[in-house]
Amino acid sequence: MLFNSLDFAVFLPVVFVLYWFVLDKSLKSQNLLIVMSSYLFYGWWDWRFLGLIAFSTLVDYVVGIQLDKSEDGLRRKALLLLSLSVNIGLLGFFKYYNFFLDNFEDAFTLLGMPIQTNTLNIILPVGISFYTFQTMSYSIDVYRRKLKATTDLVAFMAFVSFFPQLVAGPIERATNLLPQFFEKRQFDYQQAADGMRQILWGLFKKMVIADNCAEFANIIFSNYSDYGGITLLLGALFFTFQIYGDFSGYSDIAIGTSRLFGFRLMQNFAFPYFSRDVAEFWRRWHISLSTWFRDYIYIPLGGSKGSKSIQIRNVFIIFLLSGFWHGANWTYIVWGGLNAIYFIPVLLRGKNRQHLEPVALGKKWPNSREFFAMLGTFCLTVLSWIFFRAENMNHAISYLAGIFSYTLFEIPDFSIFPGAMTLLVLIAGFLAVEWRGRLGQFGIAGIQFIPRKATRWSLYVLIILMIDIFGNTSEQIEFIYFQF
Amino acid sequence: MKLFFKQAIVFLGILVAVNFLLFFLIRGFYIKDYDEVDLAYPSYLLADSHGTPLGDFTENHQVHNFSGQSDSYLDMERKLKFLIRNTEVKKVYITVDDHTLSPTRENQNNLDRSAYYTEADDYSNYGQYIKEKYLNYYCVFLNDRYSLVIKNFIQDELFNVSKWGGVRSKSSWEKLSNKEQITITKDRVKNYFEFPQPSARMSESLMRIISLCKEKDIELIGLRFPLTKTYVDLLNEESYEADSLMSIHQLQVIDLDSLYLEQDSLFRDMDHLDKKGGEKFAKVLFEKKTTPQIKV
């Protein structure tokens, strides 16, 4: 079920009413309703993969209890290994099996020993990278004694399958989300209203910004050899806003929906395109994944401590893994590597934590230094997205070569893309709203502080109208991150 | 909780009010003309945008032009049923151009507007009738076409780069260079003839129109509108052959697609007459003095 579908528009109010009006007296019943509705939500795509979630859940549930009980270090390690093997094994099989096979075949062919392998026609279960990482965080935290294992199977199932964030995150930590399933939930008007606002902004990002950008980015990336440098740059720019609108839009809807049910999820995006360096960008982009890698891999590896070479190694490991997490394609790995290359100079100069506060704090506009720092970071990001979007390495390199040609300085012919000018104006407006709201949790969070109700409501109506007019309402376009 | 629901209901009320405000705006420039029909004529012309340039010139010949831009056979079928219910219609001219059975036309139609001409009997179930005739028709937020109309209006008025001198400027057809004419025509041909087979829905609808006319003793005449030479050359032999369906049923087809092959000044684009062309064509078509090519 897609957030931007009519199905979800019916599903959400029904679950909401059952949750708050019928089952409001019993926490257990509410959790059971969450499990049932989450399985229905997921099964709407493909019910066959429900077994996979259930299996992953049961393994970590049992492992968690055993980890908690056991004092034997070796046994505990073995249990953790079991949990990690099952989760990484599932991920590896469904996501990376054919990739490894193809690469083995290529490697042997290169060595003059061609081998015949049989790739499998494997369907990638939606959201597998998200829920496996979430359950692994549980096992690791229980292993580290940061969290007590739960014996409440229903609550644990609800934690793993919680429908707002099941298929594309935020990847929640058990330490944050799981305890919320044991707290008595009270309906909070302010939180619910804020959740609605966040859902509205998420829908705007997805349907107005991302889906429209996708239309042009897809045409330009698919037919890149037909276009000059400036049009290719425009295509990369459209993809830059597509991926942000799409993924952060999903996160906004997920967080907003959770708030309607009394849950607090972590912020997943914090206006990343207003970052002044790459380190800041990675503190603001897909925060739940970045911090997952930081807490469970980077810091155990030594983090930014140790010699320069160790630091560089750790950064590369994290970024390459992050790239690989996105998909079984060398383009993602190169994308990760490129970001590591961007990041290392900042780290080596010890400037990776210099921009912890939002840009232009307490000011209306950035100063020229901040502005050019943001522009520079944004340009680097746009270039790296080309690898992320490209079908393969040849595609990415040809695309980049096409940009850096003499045609980069031509005037773009907008007449071949009717509507592109309107979209650029919409993007400019969107950036202006995000800039204004950059101190909040999401772009329009600040609307609640406008004293006049008429103004607030007029703004909501305006956003709804924009979604209706400019949004792609005739077909539901899947979120990009579903494929990961 | 009570407050949340109260606010939600009030907000929904506001959205309903905004919806009706928008509906009346859209009605002014999108629906109103489409909904207007004179019921006093014995003959009617049913066509898509090929028929609209004929405007009111057909009325001098006792034919009411009931064409609508992007009308598909499904829309024409609805209009025909409406005419049968409300008039003494004796003769209907219907477009049978090469593209009219195109699957593209199946998707680019006026079903949102032609719902105005329907009654409950025109639908397979009552739910569909309520949805199309009332929900889609009056709810701007549920009607994708209305959104598209507003979007296109905004784009055309505010951000239309062709107004700044792009290739697809709206200059008249004859003023475009041969290269520009070919580029635009190729796009059009590709748009309509992308699929090898005609649309089954369109074909079935045309068949129902033919049967209905036979049943009600209405003379049905097929009509092929004039085209430019560039279009005819690029079209080559591409056709979904709606005219053949007419011929199979022994119905007349007036084939005038080659009438103005060398007269680009009468066209607004590769396959649409302009106002002047429409006036001239209406005379040729309906005046008895001229003898159009007729195949049966």
Side-chain angles (χ1 to χ4, degrees), chain A residues 376-435:
Chain A
T377 309
F378 181 75
C379 290
L380 289 175
T381 311
V382 173
L383 286 182
S384 69
W385 286 132
I386 292 171
F387 286 91
F388 195 92
R389 172 61 180 77
E391 304 293 327
N392 51 51
M393 283 305 294
N394 280 342
H395 185 196
I397 291 165
S398 307
Y399 196 97
L400 273 171
I403 289 182
F404 295 108
S405 63
Y406 70 94
T407 50
L408 181 61
F409 304 102
E410 287 178 350
I411 296 168
D413 181 7
F414 281 108
S415 63
I416 54 174
F417 297 116
M421 185 53 86
T422 314
L423 182 55
L424 286 175
V425 173
L426 283 171
I427 290 172
F430 165 66
L431 280 177
V433 173
E434 289 257 297
W435 175 261

Side-chain angles (χ1 to χ4, degrees), chain A residues 223-272:
Chain A
N223 308 292
Y224 65 97
S225 54
D226 296 347
Y227 302 116
I230 188 71
T231 308
L232 294 181
L233 185 64
L234 204 61
L237 200 66
F238 281 136
F239 181 70
T240 301
F241 285 102
Q242 179 197 348
I243 188 125
Y244 175 58
D246 194 284
F247 194 18
S248 71
Y250 183 94
S251 294
D252 280 338
I253 301 169
I255 297 166
T257 307
S258 305
R259 296 174 92 171
L260 287 179
F261 293 90
F263 288 88
R264 299 169 306 279
L265 298 187
M266 69 188 296
Q267 190 182 13
N268 212 15
F269 289 86
F271 313 98

Side-chain angles (χ1 to χ4, degrees), chain B residues 6-178:
Chain B
K6 205 175 123 190
Q7 300 275 44
I9 288 165
V10 174
F11 190 72
L12 277 177
I14 291 172
L15 283 183
V16 170
V18 170
N19 175 79
F20 279 102
L21 197 73
L22 278 175
F23 177 77
F24 284 108
L25 273 174
I26 289 169
R27 191 177 158 70
F29 69 94
Y30 176 65
I31 305 173
K32 200 166 159 250
D33 288 346
Y34 194 87
D35 287 357
E36 278 176 0
V37 55
D38 195 328
L39 302 175
Y41 286 82
S43 304
Y44 288 84
L45 168 63
L46 293 176
D48 56 8
S49 50
H50 288 182
T52 51
L54 276 69
D56 296 339
F57 301 123
T58 58
E59 290 176 9
N60 302 331
H61 311 281
Q62 285 303 296
V63 179
H64 180 72
N65 190 353
F66 203 7
S67 305
Q69 192 166 337
S70 299
D71 260 6
S72 67
Y73 284 127
L74 292 165
D75 301 298
M76 294 178 215
E77 187 185 347
R78 286 175 169 183
K79 285 179 171 181
L80 178 66
K81 286 178 180 170
F82 175 82
L83 290 175
I84 291 169
R85 279 194 291 265
N86 297 287
T87 69
E88 295 291 319
V89 57
K90 294 282 174 233
K91 191 193 279 186
V92 167
Y93 294 88
I94 193 163
T95 175
V96 285
D97 284 311
D98 296 315
H99 69 282
T100 50
L101 291 179
S102 166
T104 308
R105 177 53 83 221
E106 187 181 327
N107 301 321
Q108 295 170 0
N109 52 49
N110 281 316
L111 290 176
D112 58 328
R113 289 191 288 185
S114 61
Y116 173 79
Y117 294 110
T118 57
E119 283 188 0
D121 294 345
D122 296 337
Y123 296 89
S124 53
N125 62 66
Y126 204 74
Q128 192 68 16
Y129 167 64
I130 297 293
K131 187 184 165 214
E132 288 201 26
K133 176 115 186 181
Y134 297 102
L135 283 178
N136 279 353
Y137 192 80
Y138 291 104
C139 294
V140 178
F141 292 114
L142 294 180
N143 191 320
D144 296 332
R145 191 69 177 271
Y146 291 168
S147 308
L148 199 65
V149 168
I150 301 172
K151 182 180 169 180
N152 288 343
F153 175 77
I154 293 170
Q155 278 180 186
D156 281 351
E157 291 307 311
L158 300 178
F159 309 115
N160 186 359
V161 283
S162 68
K163 284 182 178 169
W164 312 342
V167 176
R168 284 148 205 249
S169 60
K170 287 181 179 172
S171 51
S172 74
W173 183 249
E174 64 173 340
K175 284 183 188 160
L176 295 178
S177 70
N178 189 248

Side-chain angles (χ1 to χ4, degrees), chain B residues 244-256:
Chain B
S244 300
L245 271 183
M246 298 286 285
S247 301
I248 290 168
H249 289 85
Q250 303 292 311
L251 294 166
Q252 263 188 33
V253 175
I254 304 176
D255 184 357
L256 294 170

